[in-house]
Amino acid sequence: MKNRMVAVATAVAVAGLVAVAGAPARAEPRRDGGSDRVTVRCAGETVDTAAKIRYRTETTIDAPLRTIWKIQTDVERWPSWQTPVLSSKRLDRGPLRPGSSFRWTTQVPETALNPATTLVVTSTVRQLQHQRCLRWDGPAIGAGLRIDEGVHVWTFTEVDGRVLVRTEETWRGDQVEQDVEFSTAALGEGLKTWLTELKTLAERECERARR
């Protein structure tokens, strides 16, 4: 089980799946299967609470909120700081907003559930409150691998001069539901690594600006 999880976790995870590279080192993960009391919400909306595959985690970042928000919402920049993301392209123009869509790709290694493939994720923003939260959803499709729908929510909260970033995601699909434990573990590793990379870049840019 552990070897299979690591295989996918070195490539998968977001709004369908986010590719990950390497083990998370600096995020502060907290997994909770999820009562609505602690569910991550944006503009009153949350993940797919009926989905079998669900994970949430959080970290605190020592950087200005505006810096973290800019990094996260500049989706075309993702390949520059998320190593496994091969490409990312906006399907509309202007600031990211409700209705905005973007398509990005990542490589996924062979596992017991799928052959090695390039996964194409198409994400559509459903809710967005500036420097407060984001929620998007969409499918992730590759040759031999499909997630019918991923729903991903992020919140950003200033706490004592730092920013608490919380994220939660769900997956639906016959293929990933063949092994819920495995898919949940892969999703969790991807989310924790995404937070680690976001934290690393935001704090590095903040330190550079202070010099």
Side-chain angles (χ1 to χ4, degrees):
M1 170 65 186
K2 182 177 180 181
N3 289 341
R4 290 198 303 157
M5 179 198 70
V6 171
V8 168
T10 55
V12 215
V14 249
L17 279 180
V18 154
V20 276
R26 301 179 62 196
E28 301 152 17
R30 180 180 303 164
R31 184 194 170 189
D32 188 334
S35 67
D36 287 340
R37 183 179 65 83
V38 291
T39 284
V40 182
R41 296 180 180 275
C42 184
E45 300 296 327
T46 186
V47 292
D48 181 353
T49 57
K52 296 179 181 179
I53 300 161
R54 181 177 179 182
Y55 200 99
R56 71 171 148 262
T57 188
E58 63 187 51
T59 195
T60 301
I61 302 178
D62 188 11
L65 175 57
R66 64 181 180 276
T67 299
I68 300 166
W69 181 261
K70 182 178 179 180
I71 293 169
Q72 180 75 340
T73 58
D74 187 357
V75 299
E76 291 190 311
R77 189 186 173 194
W78 284 0
S80 71
W81 60 274
Q82 296 193 58
T83 306
V85 178
L86 302 178
S87 65
S88 184
K89 181 179 180 180
R90 283 283 301 274
L91 302 181
D92 62 332
R93 297 181 179 180
L96 203 67
R97 59 193 182 277
S100 291
S101 294
F102 52 99
R103 182 171 294 126
W104 53 282
T105 62
T106 182
Q107 289 184 333
V108 179
E110 180 179 1
T111 77
L113 295 181
N114 61 272
T117 188
T118 297
L119 198 65
V120 179
V121 186
T122 303
S123 301
T124 300
V125 177
R126 302 301 181 184
Q127 282 78 31
L128 182 151
Q129 294 181 323
H130 183 66
Q131 294 189 6
R132 292 180 59 188
C133 65
L134 284 163
R135 179 179 178 272
W136 61 65
D137 60 26
I141 302 170
L145 175 61
R146 180 184 180 96
I147 296 174
D148 293 340
E149 183 180 46
V151 182
H152 201 170
V153 187
W154 295 81
T155 62
F156 307 81
T157 307
E158 292 182 297
V159 180
D160 297 328
R162 300 193 295 171
V163 178
L164 173 64
V165 181
R166 302 182 68 218
T167 186
E168 184 168 9
E169 184 171 358
T170 51
W171 292 348
R172 275 186 183 265
D174 291 342
Q175 187 173 9
V176 290
E177 290 171 12
Q178 290 176 21
D179 191 333
V180 171
E181 182 181 3
F182 172 50
S183 295
T184 301
L187 172 58
E189 288 303 308
L191 293 180
K192 288 184 286 185
T193 299
W194 191 335
L195 283 177
T196 296
E197 294 181 337
L198 177 62
K199 177 181 175 74
T200 298
L201 178 59
E203 292 182 353
R204 185 171 66 235
E205 291 195 353
C206 183
E207 180 62 27
R208 186 182 299 123
R210 290 179 182 140
R211 293 174 183 171

